[in-house]
Amino acid sequence: MDFAAGKVVQLKSGGPPMSVESVGEDPHTKQPSVFCTWFEKVANRQILNREKFNPVVLQKYDPLSKIGFTVI
C-alpha cells in the first residue's frame, strides 16, 4: 500500500487509528518508515503520541471492520 501524509492507518495486529504524518527513511536505520501520530486517552486527558513504523506492519484503517462489515 502507498502511504501518504494525511491517510489513516492501523497496525495489522490492531490498535488505534493513526494519522500518517510523513513517509521517508529512518535516519538511524536507513529503512523506509511511516511516521504516525495518534491520541490516547489517559484519565481525563488526550495524549498525543508519535512513532515511526516499517510500512509492512501497517494497513489502511477500515472503521467498518470493527463492527463486522467489509468494505468492497
Side-chain angles (χ1 to χ4, degrees):
M1 176 185 175
D2 268 338
F3 298 103
K7 298 287 185 178
V8 181
V9 298
Q10 183 177 38
L11 288 170
K12 289 180 179 177
S13 60
M18 302 179 288
S19 297
V20 175
E21 192 168 43
S22 65
V23 179
E25 185 180 275
D26 182 314
H28 302 292
T29 65
K30 305 300 183 201
Q31 296 294 314
S33 296
V34 180
F35 299 85
C36 298
T37 60
W38 70 97
F39 286 96
E40 177 183 7
K41 186 171 183 178
V42 177
N44 290 340
R45 297 178 56 192
Q46 291 285 337
I47 305 297
L48 176 65
N49 293 286
R50 282 192 166 95
E51 188 60 67
K52 65 181 179 297
F53 298 94
N54 187 305
V56 300
V57 302
L58 296 173
Q59 64 186 6
K60 177 182 172 185
Y61 175 67
D62 179 4
L64 297 179
S65 67
K66 289 185 148 191
I67 56 175
F69 293 103
T70 302
V71 176
I72 304 174

